[in-house]
């Protein structure tokens, strides 16, 4: 009986780990913002980038000039807008918020509107 419980716990642990995928960076986060010339703003993430396959949430770290790191996440709003489209926001542990358009990691694109149809 003890072996069955240990095996069940191991299966549960392994299945929980497969919900997350580590992404080989760098990934580019494209924002909804533009600069004064109309160019879309973006930034690169390459520190500890992970994505929850079930929820689509990204987490990553930003290396600061003083050597510390700041944890960020990209999350989807709980409800879609009037057109049925979900909005995504990049949020830091210190409260910074930026609206995200999509994320590109190599040749793979994430957070595109077509992905919302899968939910």
């Amino acid at each position: 009986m003890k072996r069955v419980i240990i095996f069940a716990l191991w299966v549960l642990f392994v299945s929980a780990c497969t919900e997350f995928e580590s992404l080989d960076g760098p990934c580019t986060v494209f924002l909804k913002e533009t600069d004064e010339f109309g160019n879309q703003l973006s930034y690169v993430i390459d520190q500890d980038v992970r994505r929850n396959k079930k929820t689509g949430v990204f987490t990553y770290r930003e290396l600061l000039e003083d050597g510390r790191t700041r944890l960020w996440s990209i999350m989807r709003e709980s409800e879609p807008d009037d057109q049925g489209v979900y909005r995504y926001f990049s949020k830091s542990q210190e409260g910074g918020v930026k609206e995200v358009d999509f994320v590109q990691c190599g040749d793979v694109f994430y957070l595109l509107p077509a992905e919302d149809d899968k939910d």
Side-chain angles (χ1 to χ4, degrees), residues 56-111:
V57 171
F58 282 80
T59 58
Y60 57 95
R61 294 195 174 275
E62 175 187 20
L63 181 62
L64 302 174
E65 290 179 8
D66 63 4
R68 294 180 304 125
T69 61
R70 180 175 22 201
L71 183 63
W72 284 78
S73 63
I74 298 175
M75 303 169 76
R76 184 178 81 177
E77 271 190 329
S78 59
E79 297 293 324
D81 64 14
D82 294 339
Q83 289 79 35
V85 177
Y86 286 94
R87 294 173 32 192
Y88 294 88
F89 293 92
S90 177
K91 299 179 180 184
S92 79
Q93 67 191 37
E94 294 176 0
V97 177
K98 300 175 183 180
E99 188 171 0
V100 174
D101 194 10
F102 64 94
V103 177
Q104 180 181 2
C105 300
D107 294 336
V108 181
F109 292 84
Y110 298 95
L111 310 182

Side-chain angles (χ1 to χ4, degrees), residues 15-81:
S15 66
C17 291
T18 59
E19 270 187 32
F20 293 92
E21 62 179 323
S22 291
L23 301 175
D24 292 328
C27 297
T28 304
V29 178
F30 292 88
L31 303 175
K32 293 278 187 173
E33 299 175 50
T34 58
D35 64 14
E36 63 271 11
F37 303 108
N39 299 314
Q40 186 174 25
L41 296 178
S42 64
Y43 60 92
V44 175
I45 55 176
D46 60 359
Q47 299 262 328
D48 194 24
V49 182
R50 297 175 189 197
R51 179 177 171 265
N52 183 311
K53 295 180 203 176
K54 195 175 202 176
T55 64
V57 171
F58 282 80
T59 58
Y60 57 95
R61 294 195 174 275
E62 175 187 20
L63 181 62
L64 302 174
E65 290 179 8
D66 63 4
R68 294 180 304 125
T69 61
R70 180 175 22 201
L71 183 63
W72 284 78
S73 63
I74 298 175
M75 303 169 76
R76 184 178 81 177
E77 271 190 329
S78 59
E79 297 293 324
D81 64 14

